[in-house]
Amino acid sequence: MTEDKLLDKYEELNMVMVSIIVPVYNVESFLPMCIQSILEQTIIDFELILVDDGSPDRCPLICEQYAKRDSRIKVIHKKNGGLSDARNVGLKASRGRYIGFIDSDDFIRKDMYEVLLRELEKENADFIKSDFIDYFDGDKVEIEEKQFSVNTFTPLEALADFFETDYSNNKPMKSTVCDALYKREVFFDGERLAVQFPIGKINEDTYVFPELIFRAKKILHISEAFYYYRKRENSIVHSSINLREISSCDLWDHIGSVISAYTNEYSALCIRNSLIRKLNILKRIYFSDYRKDYFNVIRTNLLTNEGKYKKYVTNNSLLWTLKLIRCYPLYLIIKKLIGERIY
């Protein structure tokens, strides 16, 4: 479809420029700050989709109060299904030519979408990533204006950066979705939602990010921070181990499967990362809230895939650990004696 025909279709469907999707759950203390930061954006043509994910606090009421004040706000109330489910519901309800995500305990700089949209349209790119700032309650919000740079990535260049072991807030291709703006076509094939966030998993962003990369032709990164990521002890990413983490042990298996259609360069690295992730989960189960059923699920998964790990993983520390987990107490004794020679 040509760009002119696409614009005609957008007008026919009464679309807005940007859909901003905010899943809402149990954040009544932070939600007003989040919503206000969006309503103060320097662009006007957007819709704010607040997806109340069955929140048990005052969040549903707060959402409705804001919706009465601003016609750009759409509120969806649904049964609790988790962050991924709420985002998927928001995507299906969206009318934006471009799509952004904000978590409901975070907030953004008022010019975020103006700048990201301007750069996307100027370069005719498919999505743009930016930097973010860790925010702790009580921090003073200081906006430091600086000269930013915009760098262009092909999908394979973006994937290479994604695999770089740099976890700073300034890494260009972080697997976070909230510091970005996407063309609608990155998520949709026509009217069909082609990329959905995985239900019942943690690290939802990382699951979908490689797929988003390969649905794009041109990707940008801007070296400027617009997004304030609130650090909370009881937030999703800081909670104790649970069934969602157990079911997410397949993260790197999934990523390896997605990118294998485009390149085999990172196959061994995905398998190595898969082994490390599962060994770390096993250790967390053993030393925190020990659940024999959880422990056996992960150990069985590791031993079932032992042949694959032996074929692709060259690190002897990891391979010896894989052998020893059949008797975990013995592994711990040996680990104490020989230290880093096993993982």
Side-chain angles (χ1 to χ4, degrees):
M1 185 178 293
T2 66
E3 188 172 348
D4 288 341
K5 288 183 178 179
L6 198 58
L7 289 173
D8 290 341
K9 181 184 176 183
Y10 287 156
E11 290 176 6
E12 181 184 333
L13 295 174
N14 191 29
M15 299 187 83
V16 296
M17 185 61 77
V18 178
S19 292
I20 305 169
I21 298 168
V22 180
V24 176
Y25 185 79
N26 209 23
V27 287
E28 64 177 38
S29 299
F30 310 117
L31 184 58
M33 189 174 184
C34 173
I35 295 175
Q36 200 61 40
S37 74
I38 298 170
L39 297 181
E40 291 173 358
Q41 288 297 293
T42 50
I43 64 165
I44 298 173
D45 187 11
F46 68 84
E47 64 175 355
L48 169 55
I49 303 175
L50 299 173
V51 185
D52 162 34
D53 191 34
S55 187
D57 59 359
R58 293 180 63 254
C59 282
L61 176 61
I62 294 170
C63 290
E64 292 294 346
Q65 287 173 338
Y66 271 96
K68 288 177 182 177
R69 300 179 207 168
D70 197 312
S71 61
R72 295 173 297 179
I73 298 177
K74 178 191 297 183
V75 180
I76 301 172
H77 300 286
K78 60 179 286 295
K79 183 180 178 181
N80 179 251
L83 177 63
S84 286
D85 188 48
R87 283 179 177 169
N88 293 337
V89 167
L91 279 166
K92 291 171 184 175
S94 68
R95 298 181 298 119
R97 301 180 190 182
Y98 297 89
I99 293 172
F101 302 91
I102 307 292
D103 287 342
S104 53
D105 50 352
D106 300 333
F107 58 98
I108 57 176
R109 218 170 83 178
K110 65 181 181 180
D111 60 344
M112 174 171 171
Y113 287 116
E114 178 187 354
V115 176
L116 298 188
L117 182 60
R118 181 183 70 224
E119 297 300 326
L120 263 184
E121 294 197 320
K122 183 168 70 176
E123 297 294 333
N124 191 26
D126 297 293
F127 70 85
I128 183 170
K129 296 276 292 171
S130 64
D131 300 334
F132 65 83
I133 297 170
D134 290 332
Y135 177 82
F136 296 87
D137 287 337
D139 284 356
K140 185 178 180 181
V141 178
E142 295 182 353
I143 298 175
E144 181 183 348
E145 298 290 344
K146 63 179 184 179
Q147 288 293 112
F148 58 76
S149 61
V150 178
N151 294 311
T152 303
F153 294 78
T154 65
L156 286 176
E157 289 169 343
L159 188 69
D161 189 82
F162 165 73
F163 275 103
E164 284 291 326
T165 53
D166 167 18
Y167 304 108
S168 73
N169 296 353
N170 303 321
K171 177 181 177 176
M173 292 300 127
K174 303 177 294 294
S175 61
T176 45
V177 300
C178 290
D179 53 4
L181 185 64
Y182 307 85
K183 272 187 178 177
R184 184 175 189 84
E185 291 73 28
V186 175
F187 280 91
F188 286 84
D189 286 335
E191 296 182 10
R192 182 181 71 87
L193 180 58
V195 179
Q196 299 195 46
F197 291 91
I199 307 297
K201 307 280 190 181
I202 62 170
N203 305 124
E204 301 92 341
D205 298 14
T206 309
Y207 268 91
V208 301
F209 192 66
E211 190 171 358
L212 299 179
I213 285 176
F214 284 107
R215 287 181 63 84
K217 293 185 177 69
K218 187 176 184 180
I219 302 164
L220 304 178
H221 171 259
I222 182 171
S223 60
E224 182 79 343
F226 300 94
Y227 192 94
Y228 291 84
Y229 169 58
R230 190 186 299 272
K231 294 282 195 169
R232 295 195 294 136
E233 287 186 5
N234 63 337
S235 64
I236 292 175
V237 294
H238 295 111
S239 57
S240 59
I241 197 164
N242 54 37
L243 185 58
R244 291 175 63 238
E245 185 167 354
I246 300 303
S247 69
S248 303
C249 73
D250 69 342
L251 172 63
W252 287 102
D253 304 313
H254 171 77
I255 291 173
S257 174
V258 168
I259 68 174
S260 65
Y262 306 94
T263 177
N264 292 319
E265 184 177 351
Y266 303 99
S267 298
L269 183 56
C270 286
I271 292 169
R272 177 182 178 275
N273 287 350
S274 169
L275 175 57
I276 291 173
R277 182 179 180 87
K278 291 168 188 175
L279 288 175
N280 285 338
I281 292 174
L282 200 68
K283 192 174 293 186
R284 281 198 62 202
I285 298 169
Y286 194 86
F287 285 107
S288 58
D289 308 323
Y290 180 72
R291 285 273 304 263
K292 186 176 180 180
D293 52 343
Y294 287 178
F295 188 87
N296 287 337
V297 164
I298 301 300
R299 182 165 60 180
T300 299
N301 184 294
L302 282 163
L303 296 176
T304 300
N305 291 286
E306 187 174 8
K308 178 176 69 175
Y309 293 134
K310 285 181 177 179
K311 181 177 179 181
Y312 289 98
V313 177
T314 58
N315 184 297
N316 287 328
S317 171
L318 291 171
L319 294 176
W320 271 108
T321 303
L322 185 59
K323 288 181 180 180
L324 290 169
I325 62 169
R326 287 179 171 82
C327 181
Y328 208 76
L330 176 61
Y331 155 73
L332 293 174
I333 293 170
I334 296 174
K335 172 73 173 171
K336 189 173 182 179
L337 290 172
I338 65 175
E340 294 183 359
R341 280 183 283 174
I342 58 174
Y343 184 74

